[in-house]
Amino acid sequence: MHAIRVASAALLGATALTLSATAALAGNGDGNSDGGRDSGRGNNNITSFGFNVQPQSIAAGGRLRLTAESCDSVARVSSEVFDTVTIPKGQSSATALIDADARAGSVYQVTFQCGNESGHTELTIAPGRAGTNYSDPTQVQVPASVQRGVKAGVGGSSGGGFDLKEIGLGTALIASCVGTAWSMTRRRVTDEES
């Protein structure tokens, strides 16, 4: 009789562990629950150079600031919504003019090419027409953080942390299984003693 109780508790524990591991890996479909740390909004966007578009939402006809930092060669930036822009070696930024006929609400991919590496981010076309004057300091937006790849050699442990929802779910599953097993074991012991 004791063996049945031990087997039941072991089976419940194994089930809880399996279910909690499955929930933790379900983060974003590829096992990398990065919580948005990849600012480039793509899972295959790891580069040794930083890149950014500023602003990330702009009206048709507007001027877009393109930044590629730590690129040791000429950087080329391309998209369907503006002509290809070259950022010379030694410089980190350039501007692009958004096509005047760009459709509001559309999302375009912007690709940064530095040597043999490439990364991409998205650009949203806002409604209306461009009226931003970059020479007017009241209209210049503060640049967003530059996108960077992961730090190699640290096992992905830099710049992250734990997703509290996943930890809470795993803890709740394990605690409920352990509590159920304990309750069932205590109930059977009490029934046998009576």
Side-chain angles (χ1 to χ4, degrees), residues 2 28 50 54 59 75 86 119:
H2 180 69
N28 63 6
Q54 214 320 319
T86 301

Side-chain angles (χ1 to χ4, degrees), residues 113-186:
Q113 180 79 33
C114 176
N116 293 330
E117 289 185 280
S118 68
H120 62 273
T121 188
E122 293 177 345
L123 174 68
T124 304
I125 304 301
R129 291 286 166 213
T132 302
N133 179 4
Y134 282 101
S135 63
D136 181 0
T138 62
Q139 293 188 12
V140 176
Q141 296 180 2
V142 177
S145 63
V146 176
Q147 303 167 7
R148 300 204 183 271
V150 298
K151 302 281 186 201
V154 293
S157 62
S158 67
F162 298 102
D163 184 0
L164 293 178
K165 287 190 276 186
E166 290 177 358
I167 291 173
L169 178 64
T171 303
L173 283 171
I174 291 171
S176 66
C177 289
V178 169
T180 302
W182 181 78
S183 174
M184 291 174 68
T185 303
R186 296 301 298 165

Side-chain angles (χ1 to χ4, degrees), residues 42-81:
N43 293 329
N44 300 319
N45 208 21
I46 300 171
T47 63
S48 64
F49 66 97
F51 57 90
N52 190 16
V53 296
Q54 214 320 319
Q56 289 187 339
S57 179
I58 190 168
R63 291 192 176 275
L64 180 69
R65 184 181 178 101
L66 307 167
T67 305
E69 292 186 351
S70 303
C71 181
D72 296 331
S73 63
V74 173
R76 288 186 185 14
V77 186
S78 59
S79 179
E80 294 177 32
V81 75

